[in-house]
Amino acid sequence: MTPPGESAPGTPVTADTPLSELTTMRVGGRAREILTATTSDDLVRIASELWARGEDWLLLAGGSNTVVADEGFDGPVLLVRNEGIERLPDPAPGQVRLRVQAGQDWDQLVGLCVDQGWAGIEALSGIPGCAGAAPVQNIGAYGQELSSSLHAVTFLDEDTGEVTRIPAAELGLGYRTSVFKRGRGGVVLSIDLTLSESGAVPSPLSAPVGYAQLADALGVRIGDRVSIKELRRTVLRLRASKGMVLDPEDRDSTSAGSFFTNPIVPEAFARTLPADAPRWSVTPVSDPVSVTPLAELDAGEPMRRVTPQEGPRLVKLSAAWLIERSGIARGYRIPGSRAAISAKHTLAITNQGGATAAEVGQLARFVVQRVQADFGVLLHPEPNLVGIEL
Ligand SMILES: Cc1cc2nc3c(=O)[nH]c(=O)nc-3n(C[C@H](O)[C@H](O)[C@H](O)COP(=O)(O)OP(=O)(O)OC[C@H]3O[C@@H](n4cnc5c(N)ncnc54)[C@H](O)[C@@H]3O)c2cc1C
């Protein structure tokens, strides 16, 4: 049921539609203007016109990784609504190449690929949003990332105004990051994927299972392959149990997914944490990380930022573990607030009905401060925050 004060999904977009209706966190005021592109040519034309005006603009697709301030956005919002999936010539025997328009619903695409028996993105089942946003933070879940299947993107470059095809290897894809996330301006018009056909009949096989919890749920070992359909069903079930599939009946899914990324810190710093703090080795990424205890900041010490290339070895920490161990439990909310930590998953900040962006921001800041005070690790938000400062 749609809660009071919120329109049902699918309500036509008008100039007055608040951005809360176009984002899954369901907070955010109005935009000055809303423009909708239903084709790739529309995207190029409208984006070019907006750039010529030289004002701030916002690109919005499924709105599942965007949280907008209560004041809304004082500029034009361009909605990405170009859909379509095209099969290109196969690059090699046993491989399938698809071109997917940016506004295509991601999970519909995964469902279609699973039905066809094309492996490579099945563990990314149930992630909300659109295909064009998938490279922006290199979506990932259950041991799979877009980067393992992405071949190239077709991109309208804000600097040059040109449409180019950029190979995936040049997109700087890493854990929840890409050149787009790091500031390269423009619009992804479509993405090209390379998937594999296992040829197993009648049950095509998934890519190797790459995540312990998923392997346990499937009753197999890491690296095994299973029926691709069974893998999708299992991922959707696991995700639903954590409020990670959009469901109007589940208030814990009124969120932007994980609100914080797992921090990547030097291994030497990780050794200062309690021995039971989960950690995983990672290959270097270029984003700097901040490791300054709040007490030092309060004492006027400058923020210490570590650029990963500088440090010899890096590890990824569990943001959920850090949050829980700093005393913030599932379901926690600041008294009087309608924003809460998900009752199913500490990493998600949820709108429990009628929350404001200010309440979401207040809870996020509280989490950041607690984790920094207790562990000296600065959590970074995963979603794109529009007009909200943490
Ligand atoms: C319940 C839930 C679960 C989630 N689970 C996961 C998960 O498991 N793994 C994961 O990685 N993410 C997850 N997310 C986050 C989110 O779904 C993904 O990041 C998704 O790819 C965002 O797509 P979107 O179309 O909704 O993006 P939007 O929120 O519309 O946009 C996100 C960003 O991408 C930019 N953008 C959008 N389209 C384009 C384009 N065509 N060209 C250039 N830039 C563009 C926007 O300007 C914005 O900066 C989850 C979110 C929710 C709500």
Side-chain angles (χ1 to χ4, degrees):
M1 215 181 64
T2 306
E6 295 182 9
S7 314
T11 307
V13 177
T14 69
D16 288 334
T17 302
L19 296 175
S20 58
E21 302 297 337
L22 299 172
T23 51
T24 56
M25 184 67 93
R26 300 190 83 78
V27 298
R30 291 190 167 73
R32 180 140 53 75
E33 193 180 359
I34 298 181
L35 302 149
T36 305
T38 55
T39 65
S40 184
D41 287 348
D42 270 359
L43 271 176
V44 174
R45 182 180 51 77
I46 300 174
S48 306
E49 283 169 15
L50 292 179
W51 297 339
R53 290 199 220 163
E55 57 188 353
D56 272 357
W57 67 294
L58 178 66
L59 188 62
L60 195 62
S64 63
N65 215 20
T66 302
V67 185
V68 184
D70 299 313
E71 294 72 29
F73 181 71
D74 186 21
V77 172
L78 174 51
L79 291 182
V80 183
R81 294 291 184 265
N82 56 329
E83 295 179 11
I85 303 167
E86 180 192 357
R87 183 166 179 175
L88 302 178
D90 295 349
Q95 290 190 344
V96 173
R97 170 90 29 93
L98 300 180
R99 176 156 302 156
V100 186
Q101 297 301 305
Q104 176 67 44
D105 180 84
W106 174 260
D107 191 52
Q108 270 178 15
L109 167 71
V110 179
L112 176 134
C113 294
V114 166
D115 286 346
Q116 297 292 325
W118 299 332
I121 54 172
E122 58 280 3
L124 306 179
S125 289
I127 299 183
C130 299
V136 174
Q137 71 155 5
N138 183 27
I139 57 170
Y142 294 100
Q144 210 167 57
E145 284 187 339
L146 178 77
S147 53
S148 58
S149 301
L150 187 68
H151 175 66
V153 303
T154 307
F155 184 65
L156 171 66
D157 194 313
E158 188 168 358
D159 282 342
T160 62
E162 304 278 320
V163 174
T164 52
R165 184 147 301 128
I166 312 178
E170 291 175 21
L171 295 177
L173 300 172
Y175 166 67
R176 299 301 176 274
T177 191
S178 70
V179 291
F180 309 122
K181 189 118 183 186
R182 295 196 288 272
R184 181 158 181 186
V187 182
V188 174
L189 303 173
S190 63
I191 65 172
D192 293 357
L193 299 175
T194 305
L195 303 169
S196 59
E197 257 180 322
S198 71
V201 178
S203 288
L205 296 179
S206 68
V209 175
Y211 196 76
Q213 191 191 25
L214 179 59
D216 286 351
L218 287 160
V220 300
R221 283 176 306 192
I222 294 257
D224 287 351
R225 293 166 183 262
V226 298
S227 143
I228 193 168
K229 289 191 175 166
E230 192 191 346
L231 189 131
R232 175 168 164 81
R233 271 196 304 273
T234 307
V235 166
L236 288 174
R237 181 168 55 75
L238 285 172
R239 293 184 68 93
S241 72
K242 298 176 186 171
M244 281 290 165
V245 177
L246 290 184
D247 174 0
E249 302 296 322
D250 180 2
R251 269 289 166 192
D252 282 327
S253 76
T254 308
S255 75
S258 300
F259 201 92
F260 300 103
T261 52
N262 287 323
I264 293 173
V265 299
E267 195 184 42
F269 175 80
R271 277 199 292 270
T272 67
L273 298 173
D276 58 337
R279 63 201 75 188
W280 303 270
S281 297
V282 287
T283 43
V285 291
S286 54
D287 293 328
V289 290
S290 311
V291 285
T292 322
L294 198 58
E296 286 184 32
L297 283 180
D298 286 345
E301 293 291 325
M303 176 78 88
R304 279 204 303 273
R305 290 173 82 75
V306 178
T307 302
Q309 284 90 340
E310 290 167 10
R313 293 168 74 119
L314 295 169
V315 292
K316 184 160 74 177
L317 304 174
S318 161
W321 186 94
L322 293 166
I323 294 169
E324 277 169 35
R325 286 293 282 267
S326 67
I328 299 172
R330 294 178 188 185
Y332 174 83
R333 57 169 101 187
I334 292 171
S337 172
R338 291 155 294 184
I341 300 293
S342 164
K344 305 184 179 78
H345 177 39
T346 336
L347 259 192
I349 291 184
T350 65
N351 177 348
Q352 293 292 319
T356 60
E359 289 169 344
V360 169
Q362 180 194 33
L363 180 55
R365 277 189 295 279
F366 178 76
V367 171
V368 170
Q369 284 166 9
R370 283 292 285 266
V371 169
Q372 188 167 30
D374 283 7
F375 297 109
V377 176
L378 185 65
L379 294 180
H380 291 282
E382 185 183 296
N384 180 26
L385 304 182
V386 180
I388 299 171
E389 296 283 336
L390 290 196

